[in-house]
Amino acid sequence: MAQTIVQLHRNPGTPWGFRLQGGRDFSSELSVKKIQPGSPAEGHLRPGDRIIGIGNAVTQSLTHMQANHLIASAGNAVQFTIIRGPSTDFSHIKPSGPVKFSPWKYSQQQQNHH
Amino acid sequence: MEPEYDGYMEEEEEWDREGLLDPAWEKQQKKTFTAWCNSHLRKTGPQNQIENIEEDFRNGLKLMLLLEVISGEHLPKPDRGKMRFHKIANVNKALDYIASKGVKLVSIGAEEIVDGNVKMTLGMIWTIILRFAIQDITVEELTAKEGLLLWCQRKTAPYKNVNVQNFHLSWKDGLAFCALIHRHRPELLDYYKLSRDNPIENLNTAFDIAEKYLDIPRMLDPEDMVNSAKPDERSVMAYVSSYYHAFSGAQQAETAANRICKVLKVNQENEKLMEEYERLASDLLEWIRRTRPWLENRTTDNTLPGTQRRLEEFRDYRRKQKPPKLEDKAKLENSFNTLQTRLRLSNRPAYLPTEGKMVSDIANAWKGLETAEKGFEEWLLSELQRLERLDHLAQKFRHKCEIHEEWAAGKEEMLKSGDFKRCRLNELKAMKKKHEAFESDLAAHQDRVEQIAAIAQELNSLDYHDVGTVNGRCQRICDQWDVLGQLTIKRREGLEEAERILERIDQLHLEFAKRAAPFNNWMDGAKEDLRDMFIVHTTEEVEGLIDAHEQFKATLGEADKEYGNIVGLVQEIQRLGQQFGITPPDNPYSTLHAQDITNKWSEVKQLIPHRDAILQQEMMRQQNNERLRRQFAAKANVVGQWIENQLDAVASIGVTGRSSLEEQLKKLQQFDKAVVAYKPNMEELERYNQEVQEAMIFENRYTQYTMETLRVGWEQLLTAIARNINEVENQILTRDSKGISEAQMNEFRMSFNHFDKNHTKRLEPKEFKACLISLGYKIRDDKQGEADFQRIMSIVDPNRTNHVTFDAFLDFMTRETADTDTAEQVMQSFKILAGDKPFITAQILRQELPPDQAEYCIQRMAPYSGRDAVPGALDYMSFSTALYGESDL
């Protein structure tokens, strides 16, 4: 799995604009849940990204709040080591329009009638 | 000799008969000549010696005597008259005699002598001395005076202080006289103590010694010698000549004596030899006489040792006794020969031994001895041979007897032994073989016994000295021989009979072995079978066993008969043994004993009813089992079927998709209740099952169901119901939370179910993919499409179970139609409670939530620090996210 280094910058007083989830105390990997549009995080972090390093620290053994504080205390520039999560953008494959159930349904319905 | 007389004659002419004689010399001569004459005259007796030289010769008698003595010859008889003419006649006889000895008497007349003329007398005496004492002296080539002088010089040569040149001055110091004595008789004086300074002593010493030891009377006077300027030559010569005669005369005498002695010795030796011969001859003849009878003795004690002893004696005789006698004989012969030789050499007649001791006698006697000897030796040797032969024969006899007796020792006992009555057949056969061998041996020994008897016979005929012992021993041996023969026959008979019996017994043994073994095996088998621990599970099996048992019982009659046969064999063996007094051996063919067979047979017989009982018991047990099986089966079938029905029913709920989730739920819950209500049936079944298990029933053909399968089925049913309930509840939840309509839900469900070919309520990736495609998803059949699908799989199956549940499927399908942010929803809920404010108070929480939850929230909510905060404001937003492990940054 390829690791990526991501550098974030923000104007002071501006939130980073992403939701952090996971941590040791929740028995789950630290990851990005969602991104606020127009935030400094947009374009750098994506939902589903796994954060494995904050600055020089490894996140594996951090609780959620420990990770949270670590990021918060990093100032206006923070470096993350991440593994990109799978893109949940299926826009190019999902059907356009409502889900079309297969014609077989009809044959089934017909079967059931028999 | 004539020329010498000339010399002598010259000497005589020196003499002046008319008063030219020195008075001193005259004195000396008188002394000396007197002494000299007496030295001869004393031999005829002391009365014939003269005292007065001018007087004592006047009658001529002593003169004649003197001449006789000196010469050793006889003069004519003196005239025995006293008349002058008689005297003159006598003196003339003397003078004639002297003349007859070759002396020319010049100027000496008988008348002057008769008249007593000293000078004449002295002269005449000197002539006599010269002629009879000095003339005949010959030393080397010189004679008479020169000879005497030379003799003196030669004899005194070793004495350095003596120098004899004449018959006067050289003799004055007396050393010459001493030297002469010392030269011949050194033991008579110690010469080297003498010194010329003691002439008188020397002269006296010499004269004394000469008188004492040499029988030379003193003729010189030491004083005269020393005092006179020149001693009288003639006196000295006369005295010295006495020395000459004494010493050389002694030698002559010695020689003569030796000769005499030799002659005497020869005679004596001859006599001795003769004596010796006589003695030896008698001894030898005596010894021969004694010895012959001994050699001719032919008596004998008839024993070898005795005869050997005699031979030994003979040898001793030959070695020790005869040789010395042989020596004697030789000595005898030698003596005889020596004697004869000596006699012959000394011109004597030959020796003739006394009668019977002649050489021929001795030779004959000796020959006789040797003949006797030879005869004796021959006889001894032949006797020895004879006795040796006898002895040897006797030895042979004894030796043979010994060997035979050794061989025969113990044979009687052996033959009498009843060992063959107590042995095995193979041992008996061996004994029989051994006996055969013995019989051969016995036959072979027959010869020997006969030999022994033959030798005994010979010893008898040769008159052996100890024939009694021999006969005794021979008899014993022969008697024993007969006994042995008889015993041998008896033993043979015994062995043969025993063999027959043992063979019969052996047959019986074999028969026994042939029968007993299989019978024993059969019994063992029967015992095994009768004791066989069986495990049966069906009545049919028991019936089978009972059948087998009955069949077995049917064979008992035969078996019993066989048993009888076998025992019979053994009894027969016993009987045979008793009858013939033979100890039957052990059965070599079998290790089984009749007793073992008997014991086992009674065991078998006992086991039969025992088995009957067991089998019956088992039958009953099996029948009971059957009952239990049926019981269980009946119930199990019902229950099993019911469970299956229920499972089917449960599984079919929701399949058609027509009923709503609530309806499904309700149905499921009804099933649940029904199942609970049905539980007692399971319990009952469990009880039946326990009985079955306790009865060790392991299979039940009345039912397909086992307790295990039913339990499993039951569990499955429970699980299915529970899970289905769970699933339905989840679906309700999902539907509600996602806001999907029932119809949509059904649509989704039907799609899912369609692709869930094996009705596992899960889709495999393939199925899921197909499903997605059927729903219009554009998943391409290439790398990109595959990557896309993998992305989708990582979302619907994050735990990589390789399955997609309906919930996950639904979730994925509906994810954009609903806000799945659960934290948001909680936040929304709080917001509603908080009256749309960004904070909440404890008061409101206590109002709206149950007390526990309210306190939980109050304690954990962080104070709200926004600009619009009021006292006690709590931040429900961060709390909400924190609940889900989420926080905003």
Side-chain angles (χ1 to χ4, degrees), chain B residues 496-506 576 580 582:
Chain B
E496 281 175 351
E497 186 187 62
E499 191 185 27
R500 275 198 309 278
I501 302 301
L502 280 180
E503 272 174 351
R504 173 85 192 106
I505 289 177
D506 194 66
L576 279 173
F580 291 96
I582 287 171

Side-chain angles (χ1 to χ4, degrees), chain B residues 402-417:
Chain B
E402 229 174 78
I403 292 178
H404 181 83
E405 281 160 2
E406 218 179 279
W407 172 84
K411 296 280 189 291
E412 258 181 87
E413 286 78 43
M414 185 269 289
L415 288 171
K416 284 187 199 158
S417 155

Side-chain angles (χ1 to χ4, degrees), chain B residues 482-501:
Chain B
D482 291 334
V483 168
L484 283 179
Q486 285 163 11
L487 286 175
T488 303
I489 292 171
K490 235 177 109 199
R491 184 168 171 89
R492 164 160 280 278
E493 287 167 0
L495 281 168
E496 281 175 351
E497 186 187 62
E499 191 185 27
R500 275 198 309 278
I501 302 301

